[in-house]
Amino acid sequence: MYANDGFRELDRQECVRLLGTVPVGRIVHTRQALPAVLPVNFCLDGDSAILLRTSATSELVGAIDGAVVAFEADAVDAAAHSGWSVVVTGTATLITDPAEHTRLLSAGPRSWVPAPREVFVRIDPELVTGRELVGGHTLYGVDLGS
């Protein structure tokens, strides 16, 4: 973040707490050498790893397994001019261990678009950053109420 941009930087603990309050985020990966962004439902696992559940035959699985990806989630109140955004960067890995897969069937995220054969993908957080804008407050002295 840039100094004096009007946002408050969030520490890792705040970021993880906020991620646990929303069900949908966006995964950012590379598709045909271009950036791609896909909304997905998710949940947190253990120490803040992001878990996704998707079809085993989805294009997404092939594109992200073993790749470094970004994951973003946020909440915005347009009327109050406030909100937050958290970005997790890390390596995405397809869960292949049968015992882990069985555990995640009950503890992992529920798919919003169920498929006959589903898999889980874990994003291990290597970098976690976030920022918050509290409505009506800016470091520039600008009145956001007008």
Side-chain angles (χ1 to χ4, degrees), residues 122-140:
R122 173 179 283 113
I123 302 170
D124 290 312
E126 295 167 22
L127 179 62
V128 179
T129 61
R131 62 189 205 160
E132 175 185 38
L133 172 64
V134 179
H137 300 280
T138 170
L139 297 176
Y140 303 113

Side-chain angles (χ1 to χ4, degrees), residues 27-104:
I27 187 160
V28 182
H29 66 285
T30 303
R31 183 184 325 146
Q32 298 175 350
L34 295 172
V37 181
L38 184 66
V40 293
N41 66 300
F42 74 102
C43 76
L44 296 178
D45 188 36
D47 68 345
S48 71
I50 305 291
L51 285 176
L52 312 176
R53 184 176 187 164
T54 189
S55 168
T57 60
S58 75
E59 182 181 316
L60 178 65
V61 171
I64 66 173
D65 186 25
V68 173
V69 300
F71 180 85
E72 188 273 344
D74 57 41
V76 176
D77 183 336
H81 299 156
S82 64
W84 58 267
S85 174
V86 170
V87 177
V88 173
T89 305
T91 302
T93 308
L94 181 65
I95 305 298
T96 57
D97 177 64
E100 180 71 350
H101 182 84
T102 300
R103 179 185 78 84
L104 293 176

